[in-house]
Amino acid sequence: MRALGLFSIYIPEKYGGAGLGFELLVRVIEEISKACPSTALVLDGALTLFAEPILMFGSEELKKRYLTQVAQGAVGGLAITEPGAGSDAASIRTTAVRKGSSFVVNGTKLFISNGRIAKFFVFDAVTDSGKRHRGGITTFVVDAGTPGLRISRDIRKMGLRGGSSTVELVFEDVEVPEENIVGQLNDGFRVIMETLDAGRIGIAAQALGIAEAAYEEALEYSKNRKQFGQAISEFEGGIQFKLADMATRIEASRLLTYEAARLWAVGQRAIKLASMAKMYASETAMFVAKEAIQIFGGATATPRTLTSRGT
Ligand SMILES: Cc1cc2nc3c(=O)[nH]c(=O)nc-3n(C[C@H](O)[C@H](O)[C@H](O)COP(=O)(O)OP(=O)(O)OC[C@H]3O[C@@H](n4cnc5c(N)ncnc54)[C@H](O)[C@@H]3O)c2cc1C
């Protein structure tokens, strides 16, 4: 992906990128996901999760320092989740305590995508314990090599086991300069929430690609597989209705995802559509994959169909 310049597509030309915008990024994530969602997650994480908060909220200095590196293919990650803070992102325990013109960070972040390959992370920490998400959380960016920051373990996943590494990240007295604050002090919860809106659209695009690939494989197979003297695609009740349902849900997912991406690209947060797209497209990926397995019967995807996708 680095050799193809894919990391540069969403970075503005001003910072050495190709400046091709969010809608194109979503299409690229979708296409890569048809062949390998794990690989797509590396790109998605680097651009929608790491570059996006810096683009939206970072100082000019941070943009110059980090986005120029991303444009060259350096990968970043976003560290929000903790062992005790998943859906309830406001309950993070990682703290950042002021020490002169720096902050000293302590805490543990869990399920961090791109962990093994990331050169830097955007992360959030409590800076005013009385206020939590109502003005007590700050978002920072930190280089992976900073003393005290280490990967404590790799997380084994059921899926996305290709290029995407997922880790637990430990901060032990990590010193982060105040100029590494992304946005304003104590306004970090907003930075994270807005970043997750973009992240949802990226995940929707991954799910869409997965569904499309499963559908294409199943359709092709149904045309070639003969039983009872005809292609199984001729059976209306058993196979055609399945394919029609799969295609309909995919189309609905595509419309939701593209519309959310279009709105995001013109500067609208699209909270509702981004959430709907992520929810609907990921449920569609599950539905379509399950139906595709039924159409294949006991067979698996053939080398021919895999080769046709270039995998
Ligand atoms: C592949 C993968 C990559 C990830 N990458 C990153 C990353 O790069 N950076 C990062 O910070 N995090 C990452 N995450 C973490 C992800 O954001 C969390 O998994 C997510 O926030 C959910 O948290 P949890 O897993 O702790 O589940 P929990 O929040 O514990 O939820 C468990 C169950 O309870 C339900 N539940 C929770 N709250 C409610 C409620 N109020 N009402 C009803 N039901 C509820 C949930 O829907 C779910 O079914 C990743 C996760 C995965 C799986």
Side-chain angles (χ1 to χ4, degrees):
M1 289 194 290
R2 182 179 293 143
L4 290 170
L6 292 185
F7 291 96
S8 76
I9 58 177
Y10 188 51
I11 305 299
E13 287 174 275
K14 191 178 170 191
Y15 305 110
L20 295 172
F22 194 75
E23 286 176 281
L24 185 96
L25 171 62
V26 159
R27 298 291 185 101
V28 169
I29 293 170
E30 173 191 349
E31 281 305 312
I32 297 174
S33 297
K34 287 187 187 174
C36 183
S38 182
T39 301
L41 180 55
V42 175
L43 185 72
D44 189 15
L47 296 178
T48 70
L49 300 182
F50 176 80
E52 187 68 278
I54 295 179
L55 264 170
M56 284 191 294
F57 295 97
S59 64
E60 196 52 35
E61 160 64 21
L62 290 184
K63 286 179 183 164
K64 279 196 192 124
R65 196 185 326 150
Y66 291 102
L67 297 181
T68 49
Q69 294 188 67
V70 175
Q72 297 295 316
V75 172
L78 175 71
I80 312 167
T81 307
E82 299 184 2
S87 305
D88 182 11
S91 66
I92 56 165
R93 295 248 176 101
T94 296
T95 54
V97 177
R98 187 180 274 284
K99 182 182 153 199
S101 59
S102 294
F103 287 82
V104 178
V105 183
N106 281 285
T108 300
K109 298 287 184 180
L110 188 61
F111 297 139
I112 308 310
S113 296
N114 286 348
R116 282 276 166 201
I117 55 170
K119 281 188 74 182
F120 14 71
F121 298 95
V122 165
F123 71 95
D124 60 347
V126 175
T127 34
D128 185 339
S129 58
K131 294 192 179 153
R132 296 202 337 154
H133 60 296
R134 291 187 187 84
I137 290 175
T138 303
T139 298
F140 301 85
V141 56
V142 64
D143 292 351
T146 308
L149 180 57
R150 65 180 171 87
I151 292 169
S152 46
R153 62 186 172 110
D154 290 287
I155 310 293
R156 279 171 55 85
K157 305 190 294 296
M158 286 168 65
L160 300 170
R161 290 163 62 93
S164 165
S165 94
T166 313
V167 305
E168 183 180 72
L169 209 55
V170 174
F171 292 76
E172 276 167 348
D173 293 329
V174 177
E175 212 167 309
V176 181
E178 130 181 274
E179 61 262 25
N180 281 24
I181 292 177
V182 180
Q184 302 298 317
L185 179 69
N186 291 329
D187 192 32
F189 196 67
R190 189 164 69 94
V191 175
I192 295 301
M193 288 299 113
E194 294 201 21
T195 300
L196 290 181
D197 291 331
R200 286 185 187 105
I201 304 170
I203 306 268
Q206 283 177 49
L208 179 59
I210 294 169
E212 286 167 337
Y215 172 76
E216 284 164 21
E217 297 283 349
L219 176 65
E220 194 65 24
Y221 184 80
S222 72
K223 287 182 188 163
N224 292 308
R225 173 68 177 168
K226 288 197 169 61
Q227 285 293 278
F228 302 97
Q230 61 187 50
I232 61 169
S233 61
E234 302 291 322
F235 296 119
E236 187 183 44
I239 303 294
Q240 288 183 2
F241 286 172
K242 274 194 199 309
L243 289 167
D245 284 343
M246 292 155 82
T248 305
R249 293 191 198 199
I250 289 171
E251 197 58 41
S253 302
R254 189 182 292 122
L255 293 173
L256 275 171
T257 306
Y258 287 2
E259 180 60 4
R262 189 188 66 78
L263 291 175
W264 188 263
V266 295
Q268 293 185 30
R269 269 189 75 189
I271 306 174
K272 186 176 77 177
L273 274 191
S275 301
M276 286 177 167
K278 182 185 176 186
M279 184 273 286
Y280 195 78
S282 53
E283 294 201 338
T284 294
M286 294 284 283
F287 173 82
V288 171
K290 195 189 79 173
E291 293 294 65
I293 285 170
Q294 294 308 323
I295 291 171
F296 271 94
T300 51
T302 61
R304 187 198 53 74
T305 52
L306 287 176
T307 309
S308 73
R309 288 213 322 270
T311 47

